[in-house]
mmCIF file of all heavy atoms in Angstrom:
data_model
loop_
_atom_site.group_PDB
_atom_site.id
_atom_site.type_symbol
_atom_site.label_atom_id
_atom_site.label_comp_id
_atom_site.label_asym_id
_atom_site.label_seq_id
_atom_site.Cartn_x
_atom_site.Cartn_y
_atom_site.Cartn_z
ATOM 1 N N HIS A 287 -77.506 -37.971 -54.423
ATOM 2 C CA HIS A 287 -76.843 -39.280 -54.651
ATOM 3 C C HIS A 287 -77.772 -40.092 -55.561
ATOM 4 O O HIS A 287 -77.273 -40.820 -56.461
ATOM 5 C CB HIS A 287 -76.470 -40.016 -53.398
ATOM 6 C CG HIS A 287 -75.866 -41.259 -53.578
ATOM 7 N ND1 HIS A 287 -74.568 -41.440 -54.088
ATOM 8 C CD2 HIS A 287 -76.402 -42.490 -53.239
ATOM 9 C CE1 HIS A 287 -74.400 -42.767 -54.136
ATOM 10 N NE2 HIS A 287 -75.391 -43.367 -53.593
ATOM 11 N N ASP A 288 -79.082 -40.158 -55.267
ATOM 12 C CA ASP A 288 -79.961 -40.869 -56.041
ATOM 13 C C ASP A 288 -80.063 -40.330 -57.478
ATOM 14 O O ASP A 288 -80.206 -41.146 -58.444
ATOM 15 C CB ASP A 288 -81.389 -40.910 -55.425
ATOM 16 C CG ASP A 288 -81.471 -41.813 -54.120
ATOM 17 O OD1 ASP A 288 -80.520 -42.670 -54.043
ATOM 18 O OD2 ASP A 288 -82.399 -41.598 -53.414
ATOM 19 N N ARG A 289 -80.028 -39.088 -57.643
ATOM 20 C CA ARG A 289 -80.072 -38.527 -58.996
ATOM 21 C C ARG A 289 -78.833 -38.885 -59.734
ATOM 22 O O ARG A 289 -78.861 -39.054 -60.993
ATOM 23 C CB ARG A 289 -80.218 -36.989 -58.967
ATOM 24 C CG ARG A 289 -81.659 -36.588 -58.647
ATOM 25 C CD ARG A 289 -81.830 -35.126 -58.856
ATOM 26 N NE ARG A 289 -80.890 -34.408 -57.904
ATOM 27 C CZ ARG A 289 -81.259 -33.610 -56.962
ATOM 28 N NH1 ARG A 289 -82.473 -33.427 -56.635
ATOM 29 N NH2 ARG A 289 -80.432 -33.023 -56.152
ATOM 30 N N ASN A 290 -77.689 -38.891 -59.094
ATOM 31 C CA ASN A 290 -76.387 -39.259 -59.744
ATOM 32 C C ASN A 290 -76.148 -40.749 -59.876
ATOM 33 O O ASN A 290 -75.250 -41.084 -60.647
ATOM 34 C CB ASN A 290 -75.233 -38.550 -58.931
ATOM 35 C CG ASN A 290 -75.229 -37.112 -59.018
ATOM 36 O OD1 ASN A 290 -75.824 -36.483 -59.947
ATOM 37 N ND2 ASN A 290 -74.620 -36.492 -58.008
ATOM 38 N N ARG A 291 -76.946 -41.511 -59.217
ATOM 39 C CA ARG A 291 -76.789 -42.966 -59.364
ATOM 40 C C ARG A 291 -77.186 -43.350 -60.783
ATOM 41 O O ARG A 291 -78.170 -42.909 -61.256
ATOM 42 C CB ARG A 291 -77.734 -43.674 -58.356
ATOM 43 C CG ARG A 291 -77.572 -45.204 -58.364
ATOM 44 C CD ARG A 291 -78.506 -45.858 -57.451
ATOM 45 N NE ARG A 291 -78.130 -45.552 -56.112
ATOM 46 C CZ ARG A 291 -78.930 -45.880 -55.054
ATOM 47 N NH1 ARG A 291 -80.037 -46.607 -55.329
ATOM 48 N NH2 ARG A 291 -78.593 -45.665 -53.821
ATOM 49 N N PRO A 292 -76.376 -44.251 -61.362
ATOM 50 C CA PRO A 292 -76.727 -44.658 -62.684
ATOM 51 C C PRO A 292 -78.093 -45.495 -62.696
ATOM 52 O O PRO A 292 -78.478 -46.100 -61.747
ATOM 53 C CB PRO A 292 -75.630 -45.631 -63.114
ATOM 54 C CG PRO A 292 -74.816 -45.834 -61.887
ATOM 55 C CD PRO A 292 -75.165 -44.779 -60.913
ATOM 56 N N MET A 293 -78.704 -45.406 -63.824
ATOM 57 C CA MET A 293 -80.111 -45.928 -63.967
ATOM 58 C C MET A 293 -79.969 -47.463 -63.811
ATOM 59 O O MET A 293 -80.871 -48.146 -63.265
ATOM 60 C CB MET A 293 -80.727 -45.689 -65.400
ATOM 61 C CG MET A 293 -82.006 -46.144 -65.532
ATOM 62 S SD MET A 293 -83.091 -45.410 -64.489
ATOM 63 C CE MET A 293 -84.480 -45.103 -65.535
ATOM 64 N N SER A 294 -78.851 -48.128 -64.239
ATOM 65 C CA SER A 294 -78.659 -49.562 -64.184
ATOM 66 C C SER A 294 -78.699 -50.048 -62.690
ATOM 67 O O SER A 294 -79.083 -51.175 -62.473
ATOM 68 C CB SER A 294 -77.402 -50.014 -64.865
ATOM 69 O OG SER A 294 -76.307 -49.422 -64.217
ATOM 70 N N SER A 295 -78.241 -49.248 -61.797
ATOM 71 C CA SER A 295 -78.240 -49.745 -60.413
ATOM 72 C C SER A 295 -79.623 -49.567 -59.694
ATOM 73 O O SER A 295 -79.866 -50.305 -58.684
ATOM 74 C CB SER A 295 -77.194 -49.032 -59.514
ATOM 75 O OG SER A 295 -77.600 -47.650 -59.438
ATOM 76 N N ARG A 296 -80.485 -48.803 -60.248
ATOM 77 C CA ARG A 296 -81.843 -48.592 -59.702
ATOM 78 C C ARG A 296 -82.786 -49.660 -60.188
ATOM 79 O O ARG A 296 -83.706 -49.993 -59.605
ATOM 80 C CB ARG A 296 -82.349 -47.195 -59.990
ATOM 81 C CG ARG A 296 -81.798 -46.143 -59.100
ATOM 82 C CD ARG A 296 -82.489 -44.896 -59.232
ATOM 83 N NE ARG A 296 -81.899 -44.151 -60.426
ATOM 84 C CZ ARG A 296 -82.306 -43.077 -60.906
ATOM 85 N NH1 ARG A 296 -83.336 -42.475 -60.431
ATOM 86 N NH2 ARG A 296 -81.777 -42.469 -62.014
ATOM 87 N N ILE A 297 -82.530 -50.192 -61.419
ATOM 88 C CA ILE A 297 -83.445 -51.095 -62.077
ATOM 89 C C ILE A 297 -83.554 -52.396 -61.293
ATOM 90 O O ILE A 297 -84.635 -52.889 -61.035
ATOM 91 C CB ILE A 297 -83.025 -51.297 -63.559
ATOM 92 C CG1 ILE A 297 -83.351 -50.023 -64.263
ATOM 93 C CG2 ILE A 297 -83.807 -52.473 -64.131
ATOM 94 C CD1 ILE A 297 -82.883 -50.024 -65.671
ATOM 95 N N PRO A 298 -82.454 -53.031 -60.928
ATOM 96 C CA PRO A 298 -82.625 -54.354 -60.154
ATOM 97 C C PRO A 298 -83.416 -54.183 -58.891
ATOM 98 O O PRO A 298 -84.235 -55.019 -58.485
ATOM 99 C CB PRO A 298 -81.208 -54.737 -59.834
ATOM 100 C CG PRO A 298 -80.327 -54.102 -60.832
ATOM 101 C CD PRO A 298 -81.041 -52.785 -61.185
ATOM 102 N N ARG A 299 -83.247 -53.083 -58.120
ATOM 103 C CA ARG A 299 -84.015 -52.799 -56.892
ATOM 104 C C ARG A 299 -85.476 -52.682 -57.204
ATOM 105 O O ARG A 299 -86.287 -53.270 -56.503
ATOM 106 C CB ARG A 299 -83.444 -51.602 -56.129
ATOM 107 C CG ARG A 299 -84.114 -51.492 -54.823
ATOM 108 C CD ARG A 299 -83.534 -50.328 -54.054
ATOM 109 N NE ARG A 299 -83.643 -49.082 -54.758
ATOM 110 C CZ ARG A 299 -83.223 -47.956 -54.365
ATOM 111 N NH1 ARG A 299 -82.693 -47.806 -53.216
ATOM 112 N NH2 ARG A 299 -83.337 -46.861 -55.093
ATOM 113 N N GLN A 300 -85.786 -51.923 -58.194
ATOM 114 C CA GLN A 300 -87.151 -51.704 -58.553
ATOM 115 C C GLN A 300 -87.769 -52.967 -59.123
ATOM 116 O O GLN A 300 -88.985 -53.342 -58.739
ATOM 117 C CB GLN A 300 -87.312 -50.627 -59.651
ATOM 118 C CG GLN A 300 -86.925 -49.273 -59.153
ATOM 119 C CD GLN A 300 -86.857 -48.276 -60.306
ATOM 120 O OE1 GLN A 300 -86.740 -48.536 -61.485
ATOM 121 N NE2 GLN A 300 -86.784 -46.870 -59.864
ATOM 122 N N THR A 301 -86.987 -53.752 -59.875
ATOM 123 C CA THR A 301 -87.536 -55.062 -60.309
ATOM 124 C C THR A 301 -87.823 -56.037 -59.155
ATOM 125 O O THR A 301 -88.808 -56.700 -59.131
ATOM 126 C CB THR A 301 -86.502 -55.749 -61.259
ATOM 127 O OG1 THR A 301 -86.226 -54.759 -62.348
ATOM 128 C CG2 THR A 301 -87.002 -57.004 -61.904
ATOM 129 N N ALA A 302 -86.909 -56.083 -58.210
ATOM 130 C CA ALA A 302 -87.138 -56.955 -57.027
ATOM 131 C C ALA A 302 -88.369 -56.580 -56.269
ATOM 132 O O ALA A 302 -89.095 -57.444 -55.860
ATOM 133 C CB ALA A 302 -85.830 -56.918 -56.135
ATOM 134 N N ILE A 303 -88.497 -55.270 -56.096
ATOM 135 C CA ILE A 303 -89.745 -54.809 -55.378
ATOM 136 C C ILE A 303 -91.011 -55.170 -56.107
ATOM 137 O O ILE A 303 -91.956 -55.660 -55.549
ATOM 138 C CB ILE A 303 -89.671 -53.295 -55.075
ATOM 139 C CG1 ILE A 303 -88.549 -53.049 -54.053
ATOM 140 C CG2 ILE A 303 -90.997 -52.781 -54.639
ATOM 141 C CD1 ILE A 303 -88.227 -51.512 -53.918
ATOM 142 N N ALA A 304 -90.984 -55.045 -57.398
ATOM 143 C CA ALA A 304 -92.097 -55.355 -58.289
ATOM 144 C C ALA A 304 -92.395 -56.860 -58.171
ATOM 145 O O ALA A 304 -93.566 -57.334 -58.080
ATOM 146 C CB ALA A 304 -91.896 -54.918 -59.743
ATOM 147 N N ILE A 305 -91.379 -57.744 -58.232
ATOM 148 C CA ILE A 305 -91.588 -59.137 -58.202
ATOM 149 C C ILE A 305 -92.170 -59.568 -56.887
ATOM 150 O O ILE A 305 -93.066 -60.407 -56.780
ATOM 151 C CB ILE A 305 -90.266 -59.863 -58.468
ATOM 152 C CG1 ILE A 305 -89.803 -59.678 -59.928
ATOM 153 C CG2 ILE A 305 -90.340 -61.335 -58.080
ATOM 154 C CD1 ILE A 305 -88.548 -60.246 -60.232
ATOM 155 N N VAL A 306 -91.696 -58.998 -55.683
ATOM 156 C CA VAL A 306 -92.126 -59.318 -54.376
ATOM 157 C C VAL A 306 -93.687 -58.857 -54.344
ATOM 158 O O VAL A 306 -94.518 -59.759 -53.865
ATOM 159 C CB VAL A 306 -91.350 -58.598 -53.308
ATOM 160 C CG1 VAL A 306 -92.083 -58.721 -51.965
ATOM 161 C CG2 VAL A 306 -90.051 -59.276 -53.241
ATOM 162 N N LEU A 307 -94.034 -57.768 -54.761
ATOM 163 C CA LEU A 307 -95.430 -57.303 -54.700
ATOM 164 C C LEU A 307 -96.350 -58.198 -55.577
ATOM 165 O O LEU A 307 -97.399 -58.554 -55.211
ATOM 166 C CB LEU A 307 -95.521 -55.865 -55.090
ATOM 167 C CG LEU A 307 -94.938 -54.904 -54.095
ATOM 168 C CD1 LEU A 307 -95.035 -53.497 -54.623
ATOM 169 C CD2 LEU A 307 -95.594 -54.912 -52.733
ATOM 170 N N LEU A 308 -95.882 -58.494 -56.797
ATOM 171 C CA LEU A 308 -96.626 -59.357 -57.755
ATOM 172 C C LEU A 308 -96.830 -60.735 -57.122
ATOM 173 O O LEU A 308 -97.872 -61.312 -57.223
ATOM 174 C CB LEU A 308 -95.860 -59.386 -59.112
ATOM 175 C CG LEU A 308 -96.633 -60.150 -60.131
ATOM 176 C CD1 LEU A 308 -97.921 -59.471 -60.533
ATOM 177 C CD2 LEU A 308 -95.734 -60.366 -61.427
ATOM 178 N N THR A 309 -95.745 -61.243 -56.460
ATOM 179 C CA THR A 309 -95.862 -62.637 -55.858
ATOM 180 C C THR A 309 -96.919 -62.581 -54.801
ATOM 181 O O THR A 309 -97.718 -63.550 -54.676
ATOM 182 C CB THR A 309 -94.519 -63.054 -55.327
ATOM 183 O OG1 THR A 309 -93.501 -62.959 -56.447
ATOM 184 C CG2 THR A 309 -94.522 -64.329 -54.785
ATOM 185 N N LEU A 310 -96.922 -61.508 -54.018
ATOM 186 C CA LEU A 310 -97.962 -61.467 -52.858
ATOM 187 C C LEU A 310 -99.322 -61.425 -53.472
ATOM 188 O O LEU A 310 -100.203 -62.109 -52.877
ATOM 189 C CB LEU A 310 -97.665 -60.233 -51.984
ATOM 190 C CG LEU A 310 -96.384 -60.284 -51.120
ATOM 191 C CD1 LEU A 310 -96.281 -58.999 -50.430
ATOM 192 C CD2 LEU A 310 -96.531 -61.387 -50.077
ATOM 193 N N VAL A 311 -99.531 -60.773 -54.586
ATOM 194 C CA VAL A 311 -100.806 -60.668 -55.123
ATOM 195 C C VAL A 311 -101.278 -62.063 -55.808
ATOM 196 O O VAL A 311 -102.396 -62.446 -55.684
ATOM 197 C CB VAL A 311 -100.895 -59.480 -56.194
ATOM 198 C CG1 VAL A 311 -102.161 -59.548 -56.934
ATOM 199 C CG2 VAL A 311 -100.760 -58.172 -55.438
ATOM 200 N N VAL A 312 -100.309 -62.634 -56.544
ATOM 201 C CA VAL A 312 -100.709 -63.820 -57.267
ATOM 202 C C VAL A 312 -100.748 -65.015 -56.388
ATOM 203 O O VAL A 312 -101.632 -65.952 -56.520
ATOM 204 C CB VAL A 312 -99.525 -64.046 -58.316
ATOM 205 C CG1 VAL A 312 -99.715 -65.440 -59.025
ATOM 206 C CG2 VAL A 312 -99.592 -62.964 -59.335
ATOM 207 N N VAL A 313 -99.972 -65.178 -55.281
ATOM 208 C CA VAL A 313 -99.975 -66.334 -54.453
ATOM 209 C C VAL A 313 -101.235 -66.380 -53.563
ATOM 210 O O VAL A 313 -101.691 -67.427 -53.194
ATOM 211 C CB VAL A 313 -98.681 -66.270 -53.610
ATOM 212 C CG1 VAL A 313 -98.758 -67.325 -52.475
ATOM 213 C CG2 VAL A 313 -97.494 -66.643 -54.393
ATOM 214 N N GLU A 314 -101.778 -65.215 -53.240
ATOM 215 C CA GLU A 314 -102.950 -65.180 -52.307
ATOM 216 C C GLU A 314 -104.134 -66.041 -52.858
ATOM 217 O O GLU A 314 -104.653 -66.821 -52.091
ATOM 218 C CB GLU A 314 -103.367 -63.645 -52.070
ATOM 219 C CG GLU A 314 -104.434 -63.567 -51.024
ATOM 220 C CD GLU A 314 -104.005 -64.022 -49.636
ATOM 221 O OE1 GLU A 314 -102.817 -63.925 -49.318
ATOM 222 O OE2 GLU A 314 -104.878 -64.519 -48.910
ATOM 223 N N PRO A 315 -104.520 -65.818 -54.121
ATOM 224 C CA PRO A 315 -105.605 -66.692 -54.690
ATOM 225 C C PRO A 315 -105.287 -68.171 -54.721
ATOM 226 O O PRO A 315 -106.150 -69.006 -54.426
ATOM 227 C CB PRO A 315 -105.955 -66.069 -56.101
ATOM 228 C CG PRO A 315 -105.384 -64.785 -56.027
ATOM 229 C CD PRO A 315 -104.239 -64.811 -55.090
ATOM 230 N N ALA A 316 -104.010 -68.520 -54.956
ATOM 231 C CA ALA A 316 -103.593 -69.850 -55.073
ATOM 232 C C ALA A 316 -103.613 -70.527 -53.723
ATOM 233 O O ALA A 316 -103.929 -71.684 -53.591
ATOM 234 C CB ALA A 316 -102.169 -69.982 -55.721
ATOM 235 N N ALA A 317 -103.323 -69.715 -52.610
ATOM 236 C CA ALA A 317 -103.352 -70.300 -51.268
ATOM 237 C C ALA A 317 -104.748 -70.593 -50.844
ATOM 238 O O ALA A 317 -104.958 -71.426 -49.967
ATOM 239 C CB ALA A 317 -102.581 -69.380 -50.335
ATOM 240 N N ALA A 318 -105.792 -69.888 -51.391
ATOM 241 C CA ALA A 318 -107.049 -70.016 -50.915
ATOM 242 C C ALA A 318 -107.729 -71.175 -51.556
ATOM 243 O O ALA A 318 -108.757 -71.632 -51.044
ATOM 244 C CB ALA A 318 -107.913 -68.700 -51.292
ATOM 245 N N GLN A 319 -107.107 -71.762 -52.614
ATOM 246 C CA GLN A 319 -107.772 -72.955 -53.239
ATOM 247 C C GLN A 319 -107.540 -74.265 -52.465
ATOM 248 O O GLN A 319 -106.695 -74.246 -51.564
ATOM 249 C CB GLN A 319 -107.171 -73.143 -54.653
ATOM 250 C CG GLN A 319 -107.352 -72.042 -55.583
ATOM 251 C CD GLN A 319 -106.630 -72.233 -56.852
ATOM 252 O OE1 GLN A 319 -105.946 -73.157 -57.085
ATOM 253 N NE2 GLN A 319 -106.817 -71.305 -57.756
ATOM 254 N N ASN A 320 -108.390 -75.202 -52.762
ATOM 255 C CA ASN A 320 -108.218 -76.489 -52.102
ATOM 256 C C ASN A 320 -106.971 -77.181 -52.581
ATOM 257 O O ASN A 320 -106.399 -76.824 -53.690
ATOM 258 C CB ASN A 320 -109.497 -77.397 -52.278
ATOM 259 C CG ASN A 320 -110.648 -76.903 -51.489
ATOM 260 O OD1 ASN A 320 -110.468 -76.118 -50.578
ATOM 261 N ND2 ASN A 320 -111.859 -77.207 -52.084
#
Side-chain angles (χ1 to χ4, degrees):
H287 177 68
D288 286 342
R289 282 190 301 250
N290 292 336
R291 182 184 292 175
M293 183 67 138
S294 63
S295 68
R296 282 188 277 175
I297 290 174
R299 184 175 59 177
Q300 292 171 347
T301 305
I303 292 171
I305 289 173
V306 168
L307 292 176
L308 183 65
T309 303
L310 289 174
V311 170
V312 172
V313 169
E314 186 65 32
Q319 296 176 357
N320 290 335

